[in-house]
Amino acid sequence: MKGSKKNVVLLVLVASLGYFVDIYDLIIFSIVRIPSFKDIGVGEELMRVKGEYVLNMQMGGLLLGGLIWGVIADKFGRIKVLFGSILMYSLANISNGFVQDVNTYAMIRFIAGIGLAGELGAGITLVSESMSKDKRGYGTMLVAAVGVLGAILAYYVSEWFDWRTAYFVGGGMGLLLLLMRMGTFESGMFAESASQQHIQKGSLKLLFADRKRVVRYIYCLCIGLPIWFVVGVLVTQSPEIGKALQAPQVLSAGKGVMFTYLGISLGDIFAGMLAQWLKSRRKVVFIFQLMIIATSVWYLNSYGITETKFLWLAFLMGFGVGYWATFVTIAAEQFGTNLRATVATTAPNFVRGALIPSTMLYGLLVNQMGIIMAAMVTLLLLSAIAIFALTQLKESFDKDLNYFEE
């Protein structure tokens, strides 16, 4: 049963603003990494290694949080996840403003990661289940397009204020958002499934009990692999990559992240509109994979790169990875109501968490072939895996979502 038009509009608005705050808090570390590390005494030679350590701790939290919130969403409701997750990551980000050493920094980012894991999957699931199958793509597109603009606010806040205040702002916005959540309604599909006690809900055992279901889930994860490598390495490590490319000045990771997320926002809109026009999400993801390869290879071959060229390339790479909402929507559409939130919540977080082995591989390759070639090889490998996985998934654009996994 679908919600009224007014309720659906409110739900899309709240989910969009929730993801806006989520993205702000998710990438604020990438933006303030260097000034915050300098402030707590991290040496120049340890910036990249310690940065990967803190980022991997956050990604580890996202992995764990994806499992926790996904199960809660399918067992007890999507709304409870939206409330609980935002409260956790808001308090964690406020705490981040008080850190004095790298280990405490990393531990709080781990806790923040757990909280951040619930927002997008629960929001996409709610919107998908509350809108008609021919319109739900527009809803999820708007959630992502508005949400990723949080990265732009994160950049400007970091420019206007010091890094500690930037964390306080993120936590404060989250607590204010909780007040807006009071008027949101639960998914009708979930309410219907909740009344059927014989159906297993939010069961990881059910998800992994069937081989075909497991393989389908793995393919869903694989199509998103290149996204966070572009953001978490190619752009976040732009000062180090720029040095290797003999840039005449130090490239700004903060500005790069802002332009990347501006590209992602526009990419999400374009991907959503293109999927509606083509009546296919698979074709859209394939097109965007090709854009990722083309723009990343261009960037990594731009010797003598200027800041202006870097920012344009960051925007174009961001546009290429702007199939994020389409990726999460595909994952949600591949599974029944009793596992949908578990999949939609774990999939994006497992993809974010996949940055850990990706950066480990990248780090090993850096020692063997240098930072530029290592980035190129890792990116091409992840893209090849994503394209193969995409060919193995069925089209889900017009799929009826009112069914259960057994």
Side-chain angles (χ1 to χ4, degrees), residues 53-369:
Y53 164 55
V54 175
L55 186 60
N56 284 344
M57 286 290 283
Q58 177 176 299
M59 292 303 175
L62 287 162
L63 278 172
L64 178 59
L67 291 170
I68 294 171
W69 296 117
V71 170
I72 291 174
D74 276 328
K75 283 184 177 293
F76 305 107
R78 288 72 162 116
I79 294 295
K80 289 182 174 62
V81 170
L82 293 182
F83 276 91
S85 65
I86 201 166
L87 180 62
M88 176 179 284
Y89 72 68
S90 296
L91 294 176
N93 275 283
I94 291 171
S95 300
N96 244 136
F98 296 102
V99 300
Q100 300 294 337
D101 63 89
V102 171
N103 288 330
T104 305
Y105 205 147
M107 184 53 63
I108 295 177
R109 291 320 295 163
F110 175 77
I111 295 170
I114 294 175
L116 289 164
E119 187 73 28
L120 179 61
I124 291 289
T125 301
L126 264 173
V127 171
S128 296
E129 292 179 344
S130 302
M131 298 180 70
S132 60
K133 63 183 181 181
D134 59 326
K135 295 289 192 300
R136 64 186 179 232
Y138 290 121
T140 57
M141 173 192 75
L142 287 172
V143 170
V146 172
V148 296
L149 294 176
I152 297 176
L153 178 63
Y155 169 74
Y156 280 110
V157 169
S158 71
E159 288 289 298
W160 296 331
F161 306 102
D162 67 17
W163 67 274
R164 295 184 188 275
T165 304
Y167 279 116
F168 295 150
V169 169
M173 284 194 303
L175 295 178
L176 287 174
L177 184 62
L178 286 176
L179 300 177
M180 284 193 65
R181 289 278 159 84
M182 300 302 176
T184 51
F185 64 97
E186 186 55 84
S187 158
M189 289 185 189
F190 172 78
E192 181 182 335
S193 70
S195 65
Q196 302 189 42
Q197 301 297 323
H198 65 285
I199 296 173
Q200 282 186 285
K201 307 174 191 71
S203 169
L204 294 176
K205 181 179 179 181
L206 178 64
L207 177 61
F208 294 107
D210 180 78
R211 181 182 175 277
K212 290 183 178 179
R213 192 178 294 140
V214 172
V215 171
R216 191 190 336 150
Y217 180 64
I218 292 172
Y219 286 146
C220 286
L221 300 182
C222 287
I223 64 173
L225 286 179
I227 296 174
W228 274 90
F229 186 77
V230 170
V231 178
V233 173
L234 298 189
V235 179
T236 299
Q237 293 190 13
S238 56
E240 294 88 348
I241 292 175
K243 184 178 180 181
L245 289 172
Q246 300 167 12
Q249 63 187 108
V250 177
L251 301 181
S252 169
K255 286 184 182 179
V257 168
M258 181 186 74
F259 275 80
T260 302
Y261 273 88
L262 180 59
I264 292 174
S265 181
L266 294 177
D268 268 315
I269 293 172
F270 183 76
M273 298 295 288
L274 188 60
Q276 294 295 133
W277 180 55
L278 296 175
K279 307 295 182 185
S280 169
R281 305 201 205 286
R282 291 173 73 244
K283 291 178 182 177
V284 168
V285 173
F286 178 70
I287 291 169
F288 275 66
Q289 290 292 340
L290 296 181
M291 282 194 282
I292 291 172
I293 295 171
T295 55
S296 298
V297 170
W298 184 7
Y299 167 53
L300 293 170
N301 279 285
S302 296
Y303 287 91
I305 187 171
T306 63
E307 182 178 58
T308 300
K309 184 176 182 180
F310 163 64
L311 295 179
W312 273 109
L313 285 171
F315 170 80
L316 292 174
M317 287 190 292
F319 192 92
V321 299
Y323 67 95
W324 181 242
T326 303
F327 149 65
V328 180
T329 303
I330 288 174
E333 290 173 340
Q334 295 290 326
F335 293 84
T337 304
N338 54 328
L339 282 179
R340 185 167 300 123
T342 298
V343 171
T345 303
T346 55
N349 291 303
F350 277 17
V351 166
R352 288 163 173 164
L355 186 61
I356 297 174
S358 297
T359 53
M360 289 174 65
L361 171 62
Y362 165 66
L364 289 173
L365 292 177
V366 166
N367 295 329
Q368 300 295 320
M369 57 184 67

Side-chain angles (χ1 to χ4, degrees), residues 15-24 119-120 143-144 147-148 324 352:
S16 299
L17 292 176
Y19 190 41
F20 180 93
V21 178
D22 178 278
I23 285 293
Y24 177 103
E119 187 73 28
L120 179 61
V143 170
V148 296
W324 181 242
R352 288 163 173 164

